[in-house]
Amino acid sequence: MSKYSTQFKQSAIQAFLKRGRGFRHIAALFQIDPTLLRRWVMSYQLHGEASFEKPGGHYSSEFKLSVLYRMWREKLSLRATAALFNLGNSSQVRRWEEQYYSGGFQALSSSKKILVNPMPKAPRKPEETAPKPIEELTHAELLKRLRQL
């Protein structure tokens, strides 16, 4: 479920378009982020009422690649590309671009995230002696144990 209703989005977009004020001013009136309002307005100007339909689902590798090629060819921003194709947001386009750069066309077809260099976990240090009851520890030992935790 979307955080903002379609009616709320329409009200914010219409306020921006009719009042002729800046994104920040209108966004402050509606208590939303100006970037979010900018994305809604751009998408609405390109797609009209269809911009309110919930994006999502599975996109084919060919579609993802065509989105990336169009973005690169026309030197579009991530935000403009997402609005042009009525995608949820620009981070989705960024993910596709990262997938393409890391593994080419085949990486776009994989729905699994690929970890390039996962960081190894640091080995646990074994305890030197059997733990004493807390009541028997000295002040220095208590501080050392606290730092370890």
Side-chain angles (χ1 to χ4, degrees):
M1 182 173 179
S2 178
K3 184 175 179 178
Y4 300 102
S5 69
T6 301
Q7 184 178 6
F8 179 82
K9 292 177 184 179
Q10 287 174 331
S11 298
I13 291 167
Q14 292 307 318
F16 173 78
L17 295 174
K18 289 182 180 172
R19 294 185 187 174
R21 305 291 293 264
F23 284 109
R24 289 183 184 174
H25 178 78
I26 300 300
L29 291 175
F30 284 86
Q31 298 179 346
I32 58 174
D33 187 84
T35 305
L36 183 60
L37 178 61
R38 184 178 291 118
R39 186 175 9 155
W40 291 348
V41 170
M42 186 182 290
S43 185
Y44 180 77
Q45 289 173 329
L46 289 168
H47 303 287
E49 296 294 321
S51 65
F52 298 116
E53 294 172 9
K54 187 175 180 179
H58 178 74
Y59 298 102
S60 70
S61 308
E62 292 80 13
F63 174 76
K64 294 175 186 179
L65 191 60
S66 69
V67 169
L68 293 175
Y69 281 159
R70 177 106 182 248
M71 180 178 74
W72 297 330
R73 185 177 58 246
E74 297 181 17
K75 296 178 174 66
L76 299 171
S77 67
L78 293 170
R79 183 183 297 134
T81 304
L84 181 66
F85 288 94
N86 202 19
L87 300 172
N89 58 45
S90 58
S91 64
Q92 189 170 30
V93 180
R94 166 61 72 203
R95 266 192 315 277
W96 294 348
E97 188 174 40
E98 288 171 355
Q99 286 173 339
Y100 181 80
Y101 284 142
S102 69
F105 179 74
Q106 289 181 336
L108 292 175
S109 63
S110 173
S111 60
K112 295 180 183 177
K113 293 184 179 180
I114 301 169
L115 292 176
V116 179
N117 289 325
M119 291 186 64
K121 291 185 179 181
R124 288 185 61 127
K125 294 180 182 177
E127 291 187 24
E128 292 123 18
T129 60
K132 295 182 191 176
I134 293 178
E135 297 81 23
E136 295 178 13
L137 295 176
T138 65
H139 181 71
E141 290 173 325
L142 283 170
L143 288 175
K144 180 180 175 183
R145 195 167 183 187
L146 184 61
R147 274 181 264 156
Q148 288 175 343
L149 294 174

